[in-house]
Amino acid sequence: EAIEFRSKRGDRTSDAASRMVLKALDAALITARGVERTKRVARTIADLAQQEEVSEDHIAEAMVLRAEW
């Protein structure tokens, strides 16, 4: 069964970023709640970089930052 990666606010997320989050979820590296938190952190990183779309780099950085807690 495929899991769809959607944002509540309609934020634009690249396909590569969506795949990265779903792979982490499938590999049990993050939980469903972790997906939402990672998306929020990645959106903040994209906002700080003044970019409309959340990229794979933003997701990767968010995962690293969240893992440090």
Side-chain angles (χ1 to χ4, degrees):
E1 180 179 327
I3 299 172
E4 193 169 328
F5 182 78
R6 286 192 209 172
S7 175
K8 292 178 185 175
R9 297 186 317 171
D11 290 335
R12 294 187 346 206
T13 303
S14 71
D15 290 339
S18 297
R19 283 191 302 272
M20 181 180 226
V21 171
L22 293 177
K23 282 182 185 179
L25 182 62
D26 286 342
L29 298 175
I30 58 175
T31 64
R33 283 177 65 183
V35 168
E36 291 303 316
R37 291 176 179 169
T38 300
K39 288 183 344 185
R40 276 199 313 260
V41 172
R43 177 70 261 164
T44 299
I45 293 167
D47 286 344
L48 291 171
Q50 298 179 345
Q51 295 184 357
E52 292 286 324
E53 185 175 77
V54 176
S55 72
E56 190 175 9
D57 290 339
H58 300 136
I59 294 290
E61 187 174 350
M63 288 177 151
V64 168
L65 291 171
R66 291 207 65 249
E68 292 178 2
W69 293 94

